[in-house]
Amino acid sequence: MAIMNVCVTVNSKYMRYLYTMLLSLYKNNKRGSICLYVIQRDFTEENKKTILDLTEQYENWVKYIWIDEHKFDSMPVYTKERKNLSLEIYFRLLIPELIPDEIDKILMLDVDIVVNHSIEELYALDMSKKCLGAAPNMCANFIVDKTFRKWYPKDRTHWIHYNTGVLMWNLKRIREKYPREYLFQMAFKHKIETSTFEEELFNVEFGENEIFALDPLKWNYISTRVTKFDKPNFEIYRSQEDLKENCSIVHYAGLNPWEAGVKDKSFLLWWDYAKETPYYCAFLEEQLRRTEKYLCDISKKDRNMDQVIDLQILSLLFRLKGTSELEQFLNREETELYLWGAGEMGERFYQMLLSVNSEGKLAGVIDEKKSGRFHGLEIWKKENFLEYTAGRNGKIIVTPIKAQSEFAAVLTKSMPSNVEIVTLRDYLGVFSDKYIGID
């Protein structure tokens, strides 16, 4: 079996995100097919062992390459934004020198991606006449921004802009065609004033005729940016199912899933892999801290009560999951529970019930826009629910995110007296003082 060489440039702060990316890579490729090179400056022995254990679990190999950060002390930094980004980005400029000479090609991957299918097809591409393989940059709508063109040769005719988060290196050609540390030296020549300095440098040096264009829909789909353009000149995956079936590498550039939760439906794919890592609880806690900080900020600044209530509910659902207090609270519930809304908050509430083995407390689900089943329960329309509960006591928990209180007030007027209407926020309100701390 041919070995596929893969490399990453990363620091220890990103170790758990690297772990998630590698899990997706290893799970979707044959065992014993990947040799990983980790280019780093600060990995601890514990970090190394964690990645080694994961790698060996899939019968793959890992090699660590240490780099002296002081080599980059004089690296030009032209923007304020650049100073906030990782130094490891610059390590990429030395990959032809850092990777052993016997390695002719290697695939470089960012940590903010999910490898959703095998990379064998990508790795087998004939790039003998090109230095690099990269996908046209969806973030830039495929074209070099006109304000950036001042850094490019004046006789440039090819203006496709490539994203370097997924980058196939033809090391053999680069070493034969360019002097040692060529890219590193070019970083001092080009005064590129953009936060994506190294990506722009690759485009300036190789973009005219030395980059093999990969299909971005398959090999570098930047899911976080596709809705940012009024008239994008690329297709967009319209469903999570289509994305999972057809996209081999999903890239979360600019907005990471661990920062934004499931704000974008495509983030669910990353979270599916995150659940299988030892860092899942840490990811959730990280989300919770961000949520509560934002909750404090908006509570103080603009007092948008819809936003405040939404985030209070989210915080409660995170913190109550699996607790003994929740279990005791639900055990005291004698009324049949029904969810109004089979959407995101309904799903989160169900998972919270599941965490204390109380999913049986849920007697039904009502949703005017959806049909089918919700965890084995038929999704009713309002009239079906009224027929079922005629003469029976019940409690509907209203879960739609927007304007819960207003919706609950309207719904109360159309329900018989034996059915109580309560918002999700109010239902969990008994826990508010303990589990939400906002000013």
Side-chain angles (χ1 to χ4, degrees), residues 238-252:
R238 300 294 179 182
S239 70
Q240 177 77 348
E241 292 71 24
D242 195 18
L243 176 73
K244 291 176 72 171
E245 182 178 351
N246 296 296
C247 184
S248 295
I249 298 179
V250 184
H251 190 180
Y252 302 103

Side-chain angles (χ1 to χ4, degrees), residues 244-394:
K244 291 176 72 171
E245 182 178 351
N246 296 296
C247 184
S248 295
I249 298 179
V250 184
H251 190 180
Y252 302 103
L255 183 62
N256 304 133
W258 56 86
E259 295 175 326
V262 292
K263 182 178 180 180
D264 185 309
K265 292 301 181 184
S266 70
F267 290 179
L268 290 170
L269 186 59
W270 186 90
W271 282 99
D272 284 345
Y273 287 103
K275 289 175 185 176
E276 300 183 48
T277 74
Y279 303 106
Y280 184 52
C281 288
F283 290 144
L284 293 180
E285 284 295 323
E286 186 178 17
Q287 269 286 287
L288 181 58
R289 286 193 296 273
R290 284 195 177 96
T291 297
E292 292 184 333
K293 181 181 183 302
Y294 181 54
L295 178 59
C296 291
D297 290 344
I298 67 171
S299 295
K300 293 173 183 176
K301 292 177 182 177
D302 60 15
R303 297 290 176 180
N304 182 323
M305 289 312 297
D306 271 352
Q307 285 185 300
V308 172
I309 290 171
D310 293 347
L311 289 168
Q312 284 177 333
I313 295 168
L314 185 62
S315 181
L316 279 169
L317 290 169
F318 270 130
R319 287 202 177 273
L320 286 174
K321 195 172 182 180
T323 63
S324 58
E325 294 97 325
L326 174 65
E327 186 174 17
Q328 293 169 11
F329 173 73
L330 291 170
N331 284 338
R332 294 194 296 269
E333 179 64 77
E334 297 180 353
T335 307
E336 287 188 334
L337 297 180
Y338 302 87
L339 284 185
W340 188 289
E344 182 178 327
M345 281 297 185
E347 176 64 29
R348 288 176 184 269
F349 181 74
Y350 180 84
Q351 293 301 326
M352 190 180 70
L353 295 178
L354 192 64
S355 73
V356 289
N357 300 312
S358 295
E359 66 274 22
K361 294 282 184 180
L362 194 60
V365 180
I366 313 107
D367 196 307
E368 293 293 294
K369 296 180 180 179
K370 295 186 178 181
S371 59
R373 305 191 75 81
F374 179 89
H375 294 286
L377 295 169
E378 182 182 357
I379 299 176
W380 293 321
K381 302 304 178 190
K382 183 178 175 181
E383 58 270 20
N384 304 130
F385 168 77
L386 291 173
E387 290 176 9
Y388 177 80
T389 56
R392 302 172 61 170
N393 292 330

